[in-house]
Amino acid sequence: MSQTTSRRAVVRVPSGPRSIETIDVPVVEPGPAEIRVKIAAAAINPVDVGVAGGVFHQLGLVHQPDYTGLGWDFAGTVDAAGPGVELQVGTRVAGFVDGFDRDHGSHA
């Protein structure tokens, strides 16, 4: 049975650490040159604290209509790969999700 939803940490209305919430979202299949990673570990860094505190919102750098995703750094395993990707499902990877004006992050 495949998983149809996943959880991610997000901020809807930034007001500090207590504004962080967990939501369920549909699992999306990766497109061309994309992978989906089953996260094993993700770091919390100053950017996450800044997003939760509204720093980037106040600077006009976040334009997400519903919520902003948290998390940059991650380690995990490829669990799906789109067309044109050479990494195989099951490959262990580490990386980061760039930017903070997005609805997803590595805290998923």
Side-chain angles (χ1 to χ4, degrees), residues 73-87:
D73 312 300
F74 67 87
T77 306
V78 175
D79 80 349
V85 174
E86 294 182 18
L87 291 172

Side-chain angles (χ1 to χ4, degrees), residues 26-74:
V27 171
V28 178
E29 292 302 315
E34 295 179 338
I35 62 172
R36 185 177 62 223
V37 176
K38 181 175 182 178
I39 302 295
I44 297 174
N45 63 47
V47 173
D48 299 310
V49 176
V51 170
V55 171
F56 301 107
H57 294 77
Q58 291 170 359
L59 292 172
L61 300 173
V62 174
H63 306 286
Q64 294 302 310
D66 299 317
Y67 52 82
T68 305
L70 297 174
W72 277 43
D73 312 300
F74 67 87

Side-chain angles (χ1 to χ4, degrees), residues 2-38:
S2 66
Q3 185 176 341
T4 59
T5 63
S6 71
R7 292 182 163 211
R8 65 175 61 152
V10 301
V11 171
R12 292 182 200 269
V13 179
S15 60
R18 292 192 175 159
S19 66
I20 298 170
E21 60 183 287
T22 304
I23 62 170
D24 292 317
V25 297
V27 171
V28 178
E29 292 302 315
E34 295 179 338
I35 62 172
R36 185 177 62 223
V37 176
K38 181 175 182 178

